[in-house]
Amino acid sequence: MTIPDPHLLGPGLLPTPFTADEIRDATGRGTTIRLLLEGPDGPLGEHVNHFKETDAEGATLDRWAAADPKEVVSNRVTWAELQGHAAFDAATTSVSTVSLSSPLGELTCRRYDTDDGVFWFSIAHPGMPVQYESDGIRTTVLSIQPD
């Protein structure tokens, strides 16, 4: 009997860079991720994602603009949902392994070129892409801090 690959979420999809379990294990008891958003004319501001109340199924995700920390948007996410964000269409996506200079250092990344943008997932940092570009906006992870 063949055990299904947990990176494959369905027919016609590429393998995701991380499984739900790998994302959960990397997030631990909680993690704060700082992000920089940039447009064609320069920086648009920093944002913060904070995972808390983690368990086997998921976490509470708080998000806010660093300039306005009182305006928190909070919702429950599952590790499987987060994995699903990186399930790209095999017919329209190319994947390569590249080096990326980032605020986190020199990273080996899986780069996904899609119809919706370009996503760099650091092999050393299971979870969201450490950089992505879509609709003229570049989002870069500045730091990942475990609680």
Side-chain angles (χ1 to χ4, degrees), residues 68-79:
D68 197 1
K70 292 183 180 179
E71 292 296 321
V72 176
V73 175
S74 184
N75 63 305
R76 180 76 181 169
V77 295
T78 68
W79 308 124

Side-chain angles (χ1 to χ4, degrees), residues 51-76:
F51 292 89
K52 64 182 185 182
E53 301 165 355
T54 61
D55 60 35
E57 298 301 315
T60 298
L61 174 59
D62 292 343
R63 296 173 296 169
W64 64 91
D68 197 1
K70 292 183 180 179
E71 292 296 321
V72 176
V73 175
S74 184
N75 63 305
R76 180 76 181 169

Side-chain angles (χ1 to χ4, degrees), residues 104-120:
L104 300 175
E106 194 68 26
L107 304 173
T108 300
C109 295
R110 299 287 286 164
R111 177 182 164 147
Y112 291 73
D113 288 84
T114 76
D115 286 344
D116 296 323
V118 182
F119 303 83
W120 290 263

Side-chain angles (χ1 to χ4, degrees), residues 14 16 32 75:
L14 289 170
T16 60
T32 300
N75 63 305

